[in-house]
């Protein structure tokens, strides 16, 4: 929710996640503001027009298998978006993540081991990056700063320091249920 709030007020430009739990979407972060590099257990995608549908329940499946549903826009078959270990990262999301890191003054890495590649090396593309994590990472020596603390505690302190008191009580923006990549206002 902190990331969503910071994106809402223009302090966060883009979010790259390896999480597959859909929490960014549930917190109101629009899909145009984040790359879901390992897919999402709650998202179905049309194989024809790439429109994504975010659901309340796990859509089942892994490795881009058909879900049995069809796209409301073009009637194409929908499939899951969850990657299996041998699957390639989604090309469009990876390119956008690389683009956003390349133009970033600062990347903040929250609670990640930075061990899974190629995502673990994305922060190296930015001018500077900060790691907030309780454990050591292979990228610690390259980081501008390392904060060994709970992500929740650091984000609470950051939000307070930025003057966003009461942000946890605010109603998050509505969940973006349908998204088509071409509708994204910021494409590389």
């Amino acid at each position: 929710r902190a990331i969503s709030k910071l994106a809402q007020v223009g302090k966060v430009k883009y979010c790259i996640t390896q999480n597959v739990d859909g929490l960014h979407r549930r917190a109101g972060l629009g899909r145009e503001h984040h790359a879901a590099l390992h897919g999402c257990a709650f998202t179905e995608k049309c194989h024809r027009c790439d429109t994504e549908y975010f659901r309340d329940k796990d859509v089942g499946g892994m490795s881009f298998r058909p879900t049995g549903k069809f796209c409301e826009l073009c009637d194409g078959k929908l499939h899951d978006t969850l990657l299996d270990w041998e699957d390639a990262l989604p090309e469009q999301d990876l390119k956008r993540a690389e683009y956003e890191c390349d133009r970033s003054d600062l990347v903040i890495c929250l609670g990640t081991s930075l061990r899974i590649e190629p995502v673990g090396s994305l922060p190296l593309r930015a001018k500077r990056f900060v790691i907030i994590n309780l454990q050591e990472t292979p990228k610690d020596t390259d980081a501008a700063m390392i904060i060994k603390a709970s992500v929740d505690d650091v984000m609470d302190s950051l939000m307070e320091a930025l003057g966003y008191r009461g942000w946890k009580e605010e109603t998050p923006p509505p969940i973006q249920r349908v998204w088509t990549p071409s509708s994204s206002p910021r494409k590389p």
Side-chain angles (χ1 to χ4, degrees):
R1 292 197 48 207
I3 294 168
S4 180
K5 175 67 177 179
L6 292 172
Q8 213 179 352
V9 298
K11 299 232 183 261
V12 166
K13 303 298 181 205
Y14 201 69
C15 175
I16 300 164
T17 184
Q18 294 172 256
N19 295 343
V20 298
D21 53 18
L23 291 181
H24 291 89
R25 290 279 275 274
R26 290 188 199 292
L29 187 63
R31 186 66 171 80
E32 66 277 4
H33 294 290
H34 76 279
L37 289 179
H38 291 171
C40 176
F42 299 91
T43 300
E44 294 175 291
K45 184 175 182 177
C46 177
H47 82 287
R48 187 180 296 158
C49 71
D50 290 334
T51 296
E52 293 181 2
Y53 296 87
F54 186 78
R55 311 296 187 189
D56 287 326
K57 295 182 180 175
D58 186 329
V59 299
M62 181 180 284
S63 204
F64 316 110
R65 301 211 191 308
T67 63
K69 294 181 182 172
F70 294 88
C71 180
E72 297 167 14
L73 300 178
C74 73
D75 208 34
K77 289 182 181 180
L78 299 181
H79 56 81
D80 74 86
T81 63
L82 201 57
L83 269 66
D84 203 348
W85 283 104
E86 58 275 349
D87 293 328
L89 296 178
E91 185 177 344
Q92 190 170 12
D93 275 342
L94 180 58
K95 283 184 179 180
R96 177 73 188 269
E98 290 170 340
Y99 170 79
E100 294 295 342
C101 286
D102 287 343
R103 63 190 289 252
S104 292
D105 293 323
L106 177 67
V107 168
I108 302 173
C109 305
L110 301 171
T112 175
S113 68
L114 296 172
R115 295 184 193 286
I116 306 297
E117 295 295 344
V119 181
S121 291
L122 285 173
L124 298 172
R125 299 174 78 115
K127 289 183 180 113
R128 295 178 300 151
F129 70 96
V130 171
I131 299 171
I132 302 169
N133 199 25
L134 290 170
Q135 67 188 34
E136 290 183 18
T137 80
K139 308 298 189 283
D140 283 4
T141 57
D142 298 311
M145 178 187 294
I146 301 167
I147 302 172
K148 295 231 183 258
S150 158
V151 170
D152 288 346
D153 292 343
V154 172
M155 293 306 288
D156 284 342
S157 295
L158 175 65
M159 296 300 279
E160 181 75 21
L162 291 173
Y164 298 112
R165 292 166 188 81
W167 65 275
K168 286 184 179 180
E169 288 77 37
E170 291 179 16
T171 303
I175 297 171
Q176 183 184 45
R177 296 290 178 174
V178 180
W179 179 73
T180 303
S182 61
S183 67
S184 175
R186 294 180 53 199
K187 289 180 78 172

